[in-house]
Amino acid sequence: MLTLVVLIAASWGAGSLTAAAEPAEGKVYIIGTDVTFAPFEFQDINGDFVGIDMDLIQAIAEDQNFQYEIRPMGFNAAVQALEANQVDGVIAGMSITEERKQKFDFSEGYYDSGVVMGIDKDNEEIKSYEDLRGKKVAVKTGTEGYSFAESIASQYGFTLVPFDESALMYEDVKTGNSAACFDDHAVLAYGEQQNIGLKLVTEPEPGASYGFAVRKGENQELLQKFNAGLTNLKATGAHEEILEKYLGENAAGKAPLTRMELLQASFVPLLEGMGKTILYTFISLFFAFIIGLIFGFMKVSRNAWLRGIATVFVDVFRGIPLIVLAFFIYFGIPQAFGFTMPLFLAAVLTLTLNAGAYVTEIIRGGIQSIDRGQMEAARSLGIPYRKAMFKIIIPQAIKVMIPSFINQFVITLKDTSILSVIGLVELTQSGKIIIARTFASFDIWLMVALMYFIVITVLIKIANRLERKVGQHG
């Protein structure tokens, strides 16, 4: 079954698959990043990716004359994508550590970082690590802050609460669920400057430098270009100007948006995210219906082998959590077989296989809900099995299936939000990106929830009307 998945993926996306050994000449490098990590990478109000890392890669690309495309995703997803050869390089405030050097080749360091502790700005109780005993501490997985907090957790008696994004980690501290968080000094200092509601209470711990990473032994020409460009930027002073732009005394402050201005500015990007959510849902359900139709008929077949194959398909894809299936398809399969898979293809494939298993059961259940006596009566009158199935059984079964199809549509639409973990930009991911810039969690998540509610309600009303019409004409 898994081989079938690989073959489908390979054949469907053959036109856009990129072999790992493709010559660099004329190549557009795919650069993974975490766009929720201000001031190193975030999306501004115009929807442009900005920050120290974004300005740096742009300046180096211009200096070394190469093209690149930014692939926004969470930090963990970016690192996994690099490991799975889904991106050519990663620039995401990535610390150069001995452990990471085992898997990746790093550029020269472009920023010397250090870990600090942040707490709520109104908290006067916590002043040092000793005050964390018995409390929870928020950390971002895969970061130097996580490693440092983990190394002292038992010594100071606190519990780690891991998050995938900095913004979520900060919100956990501001809401009081966690007493403190550990993050890179530049990031927390920038956040304090932007008045995100946190303050620093410790001096920076010695940390590693940030570096640009490529997969071990691959894309060496890109790494050489990055190093050469970085050397030139340092020589001309451009590197220092970029750091000063975001971390200097004259760094741009937070845009003074009112709540209404924030909602207006966020509406269009969220609406675009909603459009992509609906697109992914319709495409995935189209293929899921085809798959469900095939395996559904196989499950009611008189052939034991066909029933067995269909049962295995349903058991496998209903038994795997959607998030695990997404990681397996987007990171696992390409790494195992040495090719890159477009994100769109991985997202549609994941949703299709998951929904296809449920649609299979919907079709099987609909057919088997019809009284067997009707089939026996048709056969006793000399009507062939296939004709009896399509003329007598299926028309009645469709009426039974429609409510379940509507329910599956709603489930799949909501399931698209899970795919934000692999970098798919849909409604939920669009909300995360805006929150990473504005830290307005309540307003943005309220807008996202309302958009889901409105769209799903409208679609359910349309589907219910369709169901009534089918019933009237049945």
Side-chain angles (χ1 to χ4, degrees), residues 45-69:
I45 197 169
N46 299 315
D48 299 322
F49 297 126
V50 297
I52 295 172
D53 286 352
M54 297 297 96
D55 288 9
L56 203 57
I57 191 70
Q58 181 181 2
I60 290 174
E62 291 173 357
D63 183 80
Q64 295 295 307
N65 193 31
F66 67 83
Q67 294 180 296
Y68 69 97
E69 176 185 327

mmCIF file of all heavy atoms in Angstrom, residues 45-69:
data_model
loop_
_atom_site.group_PDB
_atom_site.id
_atom_site.type_symbol
_atom_site.label_atom_id
_atom_site.label_comp_id
_atom_site.label_asym_id
_atom_site.label_seq_id
_atom_site.Cartn_x
_atom_site.Cartn_y
_atom_site.Cartn_z
ATOM 1 N N ILE A 45 3.284 44.072 7.189
ATOM 2 C CA ILE A 45 1.872 44.340 6.937
ATOM 3 C C ILE A 45 1.518 44.258 5.460
ATOM 4 O O ILE A 45 0.360 44.077 5.080
ATOM 5 C CB ILE A 45 1.503 45.728 7.501
ATOM 6 C CG1 ILE A 45 -0.016 45.870 7.634
ATOM 7 C CG2 ILE A 45 2.100 46.841 6.642
ATOM 8 C CD1 ILE A 45 -0.435 47.085 8.415
ATOM 9 N N ASN A 46 2.533 44.360 4.580
ATOM 10 C CA ASN A 46 2.308 44.244 3.137
ATOM 11 C C ASN A 46 2.402 42.804 2.639
ATOM 12 O O ASN A 46 2.278 42.547 1.449
ATOM 13 C CB ASN A 46 3.321 45.112 2.382
ATOM 14 C CG ASN A 46 3.189 46.581 2.751
ATOM 15 O OD1 ASN A 46 2.080 47.112 2.825
ATOM 16 N ND2 ASN A 46 4.318 47.245 2.993
ATOM 17 N N GLY A 47 2.699 41.888 3.552
ATOM 18 C CA GLY A 47 2.804 40.492 3.165
ATOM 19 C C GLY A 47 4.189 40.093 2.690
ATOM 20 O O GLY A 47 4.388 38.971 2.218
ATOM 21 N N ASP A 48 5.165 40.998 2.833
ATOM 22 C CA ASP A 48 6.539 40.703 2.414
ATOM 23 C C ASP A 48 7.309 40.073 3.571
ATOM 24 O O ASP A 48 7.121 40.441 4.734
ATOM 25 C CB ASP A 48 7.249 41.986 1.962
ATOM 26 C CG ASP A 48 6.551 42.634 0.773
ATOM 27 O OD1 ASP A 48 6.073 41.882 -0.095
ATOM 28 O OD2 ASP A 48 6.490 43.884 0.728
ATOM 29 N N PHE A 49 8.192 39.131 3.232
ATOM 30 C CA PHE A 49 9.045 38.532 4.249
ATOM 31 C C PHE A 49 10.202 39.472 4.534
ATOM 32 O O PHE A 49 10.974 39.814 3.628
ATOM 33 C CB PHE A 49 9.561 37.169 3.787
ATOM 34 C CG PHE A 49 8.467 36.162 3.570
ATOM 35 C CD1 PHE A 49 8.345 35.490 2.354
ATOM 36 C CD2 PHE A 49 7.553 35.881 4.568
ATOM 37 C CE1 PHE A 49 7.338 34.572 2.150
ATOM 38 C CE2 PHE A 49 6.530 34.960 4.375
ATOM 39 C CZ PHE A 49 6.430 34.304 3.164
ATOM 40 N N VAL A 50 10.341 39.891 5.774
ATOM 41 C CA VAL A 50 11.386 40.833 6.160
ATOM 42 C C VAL A 50 12.096 40.307 7.390
ATOM 43 O O VAL A 50 11.703 39.292 7.974
ATOM 44 C CB VAL A 50 10.788 42.235 6.437
ATOM 45 C CG1 VAL A 50 10.148 42.815 5.184
ATOM 46 C CG2 VAL A 50 9.751 42.155 7.577
ATOM 47 N N GLY A 51 13.146 41.031 7.810
ATOM 48 C CA GLY A 51 13.911 40.630 8.980
ATOM 49 C C GLY A 51 15.382 40.480 8.627
ATOM 50 O O GLY A 51 15.776 40.596 7.452
ATOM 51 N N ILE A 52 16.205 40.267 9.634
ATOM 52 C CA ILE A 52 17.653 40.172 9.421
ATOM 53 C C ILE A 52 17.988 39.064 8.433
ATOM 54 O O ILE A 52 18.740 39.266 7.471
ATOM 55 C CB ILE A 52 18.356 39.922 10.769
ATOM 56 C CG1 ILE A 52 18.159 41.131 11.690
ATOM 57 C CG2 ILE A 52 19.829 39.634 10.556
ATOM 58 C CD1 ILE A 52 18.653 40.909 13.103
ATOM 59 N N ASP A 53 17.435 37.870 8.651
ATOM 60 C CA ASP A 53 17.743 36.743 7.758
ATOM 61 C C ASP A 53 17.248 37.000 6.338
ATOM 62 O O ASP A 53 17.926 36.648 5.366
ATOM 63 C CB ASP A 53 17.093 35.463 8.296
ATOM 64 C CG ASP A 53 17.814 34.933 9.515
ATOM 65 O OD1 ASP A 53 18.891 35.460 9.833
ATOM 66 O OD2 ASP A 53 17.290 33.994 10.148
ATOM 67 N N MET A 54 16.055 37.590 6.224
ATOM 68 C CA MET A 54 15.489 37.828 4.890
ATOM 69 C C MET A 54 16.304 38.878 4.130
ATOM 70 O O MET A 54 16.567 38.735 2.925
ATOM 71 C CB MET A 54 14.031 38.273 5.015
ATOM 72 C CG MET A 54 13.104 37.236 5.643
ATOM 73 S SD MET A 54 12.954 35.698 4.672
ATOM 74 C CE MET A 54 14.171 34.653 5.476
ATOM 75 N N ASP A 55 16.701 39.947 4.835
ATOM 76 C CA ASP A 55 17.524 40.976 4.193
ATOM 77 C C ASP A 55 18.893 40.425 3.826
ATOM 78 O O ASP A 55 19.469 40.753 2.783
ATOM 79 C CB ASP A 55 17.683 42.185 5.123
ATOM 80 C CG ASP A 55 16.390 42.988 5.241
ATOM 81 O OD1 ASP A 55 15.354 42.511 4.737
ATOM 82 O OD2 ASP A 55 16.416 44.077 5.845
ATOM 83 N N LEU A 56 19.399 39.553 4.703
ATOM 84 C CA LEU A 56 20.731 38.983 4.484
ATOM 85 C C LEU A 56 20.748 38.070 3.253
ATOM 86 O O LEU A 56 21.633 38.198 2.387
ATOM 87 C CB LEU A 56 21.133 38.194 5.732
ATOM 88 C CG LEU A 56 22.629 37.975 5.979
ATOM 89 C CD1 LEU A 56 23.379 39.298 6.050
ATOM 90 C CD2 LEU A 56 22.814 37.191 7.273
ATOM 91 N N ILE A 57 19.778 37.176 3.150
ATOM 92 C CA ILE A 57 19.769 36.249 2.011
ATOM 93 C C ILE A 57 19.512 37.002 0.714
ATOM 94 O O ILE A 57 20.063 36.654 -0.345
ATOM 95 C CB ILE A 57 18.721 35.119 2.219
ATOM 96 C CG1 ILE A 57 18.885 34.018 1.172
ATOM 97 C CG2 ILE A 57 17.311 35.649 2.199
ATOM 98 C CD1 ILE A 57 20.104 33.189 1.326
ATOM 99 N N GLN A 58 18.710 38.071 0.796
ATOM 100 C CA GLN A 58 18.459 38.868 -0.406
ATOM 101 C C GLN A 58 19.731 39.589 -0.861
ATOM 102 O O GLN A 58 20.073 39.583 -2.046
ATOM 103 C CB GLN A 58 17.360 39.898 -0.134
ATOM 104 C CG GLN A 58 17.026 40.749 -1.352
ATOM 105 C CD GLN A 58 15.942 41.786 -1.072
ATOM 106 O OE1 GLN A 58 15.457 41.897 0.045
ATOM 107 N NE2 GLN A 58 15.559 42.526 -2.074
ATOM 108 N N ALA A 59 20.448 40.182 0.103
ATOM 109 C CA ALA A 59 21.676 40.906 -0.238
ATOM 110 C C ALA A 59 22.737 39.952 -0.780
ATOM 111 O O ALA A 59 23.455 40.270 -1.746
ATOM 112 C CB ALA A 59 22.194 41.642 0.990
ATOM 113 N N ILE A 60 22.846 38.775 -0.182
ATOM 114 C CA ILE A 60 23.845 37.794 -0.635
ATOM 115 C C ILE A 60 23.481 37.258 -2.020
ATOM 116 O O ILE A 60 24.351 37.065 -2.873
ATOM 117 C CB ILE A 60 23.966 36.656 0.402
ATOM 118 C CG1 ILE A 60 24.640 37.186 1.666
ATOM 119 C CG2 ILE A 60 24.729 35.470 -0.171
ATOM 120 C CD1 ILE A 60 24.689 36.197 2.812
ATOM 121 N N ALA A 61 22.185 37.018 -2.247
ATOM 122 C CA ALA A 61 21.751 36.531 -3.564
ATOM 123 C C ALA A 61 22.061 37.564 -4.650
ATOM 124 O O ALA A 61 22.496 37.203 -5.758
ATOM 125 C CB ALA A 61 20.252 36.227 -3.539
ATOM 126 N N GLU A 62 21.852 38.829 -4.335
ATOM 127 C CA GLU A 62 22.176 39.880 -5.312
ATOM 128 C C GLU A 62 23.679 39.969 -5.523
ATOM 129 O O GLU A 62 24.158 40.147 -6.644
ATOM 130 C CB GLU A 62 21.639 41.227 -4.812
ATOM 131 C CG GLU A 62 20.112 41.307 -4.833
ATOM 132 C CD GLU A 62 19.582 42.578 -4.192
ATOM 133 O OE1 GLU A 62 20.403 43.369 -3.679
ATOM 134 O OE2 GLU A 62 18.344 42.769 -4.196
ATOM 135 N N ASP A 63 24.437 39.815 -4.452
ATOM 136 C CA ASP A 63 25.901 39.892 -4.554
ATOM 137 C C ASP A 63 26.471 38.718 -5.338
ATOM 138 O O ASP A 63 27.406 38.873 -6.122
ATOM 139 C CB ASP A 63 26.495 39.915 -3.140
ATOM 140 C CG ASP A 63 28.000 40.073 -3.147
ATOM 141 O OD1 ASP A 63 28.469 41.220 -3.310
ATOM 142 O OD2 ASP A 63 28.706 39.048 -3.002
ATOM 143 N N GLN A 64 25.883 37.530 -5.150
ATOM 144 C CA GLN A 64 26.416 36.324 -5.787
ATOM 145 C C GLN A 64 25.616 35.895 -7.024
ATOM 146 O O GLN A 64 25.898 34.867 -7.630
ATOM 147 C CB GLN A 64 26.421 35.177 -4.768
ATOM 148 C CG GLN A 64 27.365 35.411 -3.605
ATOM 149 C CD GLN A 64 28.817 35.455 -4.041
ATOM 150 O OE1 GLN A 64 29.301 34.536 -4.705
ATOM 151 N NE2 GLN A 64 29.522 36.525 -3.691
ATOM 152 N N ASN A 65 24.594 36.693 -7.352
ATOM 153 C CA ASN A 65 23.824 36.465 -8.579
ATOM 154 C C ASN A 65 23.194 35.070 -8.645
ATOM 155 O O ASN A 65 23.449 34.292 -9.565
ATOM 156 C CB ASN A 65 24.710 36.701 -9.817
ATOM 157 C CG ASN A 65 23.887 36.779 -11.091
ATOM 158 O OD1 ASN A 65 22.729 37.216 -11.058
ATOM 159 N ND2 ASN A 65 24.470 36.356 -12.196
ATOM 160 N N PHE A 66 22.417 34.732 -7.637
ATOM 161 C CA PHE A 66 21.627 33.493 -7.719
ATOM 162 C C PHE A 66 20.184 33.789 -7.320
ATOM 163 O O PHE A 66 19.898 34.796 -6.666
ATOM 164 C CB PHE A 66 22.230 32.378 -6.855
ATOM 165 C CG PHE A 66 22.193 32.602 -5.378
ATOM 166 C CD1 PHE A 66 21.063 32.314 -4.620
ATOM 167 C CD2 PHE A 66 23.312 33.099 -4.699
ATOM 168 C CE1 PHE A 66 21.033 32.502 -3.253
ATOM 169 C CE2 PHE A 66 23.293 33.298 -3.323
ATOM 170 C CZ PHE A 66 22.153 32.998 -2.597
ATOM 171 N N GLN A 67 19.281 32.918 -7.748
ATOM 172 C CA GLN A 67 17.858 33.094 -7.464
ATOM 173 C C GLN A 67 17.428 32.152 -6.335
ATOM 174 O O GLN A 67 17.972 31.042 -6.189
ATOM 175 C CB GLN A 67 17.015 32.799 -8.703
ATOM 176 C CG GLN A 67 17.237 33.798 -9.841
ATOM 177 C CD GLN A 67 16.386 33.454 -11.051
ATOM 178 O OE1 GLN A 67 16.561 32.414 -11.665
ATOM 179 N NE2 GLN A 67 15.449 34.323 -11.366
ATOM 180 N N TYR A 68 16.456 32.596 -5.582
ATOM 181 C CA TYR A 68 15.969 31.761 -4.484
ATOM 182 C C TYR A 68 14.486 32.000 -4.282
ATOM 183 O O TYR A 68 13.930 33.003 -4.735
ATOM 184 C CB TYR A 68 16.745 32.064 -3.191
ATOM 185 C CG TYR A 68 16.447 33.430 -2.620
ATOM 186 C CD1 TYR A 68 15.512 33.595 -1.601
ATOM 187 C CD2 TYR A 68 17.089 34.573 -3.109
ATOM 188 C CE1 TYR A 68 15.233 34.846 -1.073
ATOM 189 C CE2 TYR A 68 16.813 35.824 -2.595
ATOM 190 C CZ TYR A 68 15.886 35.960 -1.578
ATOM 191 O OH TYR A 68 15.605 37.201 -1.081
ATOM 192 N N GLU A 69 13.878 31.047 -3.620
ATOM 193 C CA GLU A 69 12.455 31.162 -3.273
ATOM 194 C C GLU A 69 12.304 30.797 -1.798
ATOM 195 O O GLU A 69 12.807 29.769 -1.352
ATOM 196 C CB GLU A 69 11.622 30.198 -4.126
ATOM 197 C CG GLU A 69 10.137 30.178 -3.776
ATOM 198 C CD GLU A 69 9.381 29.119 -4.567
ATOM 199 O OE1 GLU A 69 9.768 28.858 -5.726
ATOM 200 O OE2 GLU A 69 8.434 28.543 -4.004
#
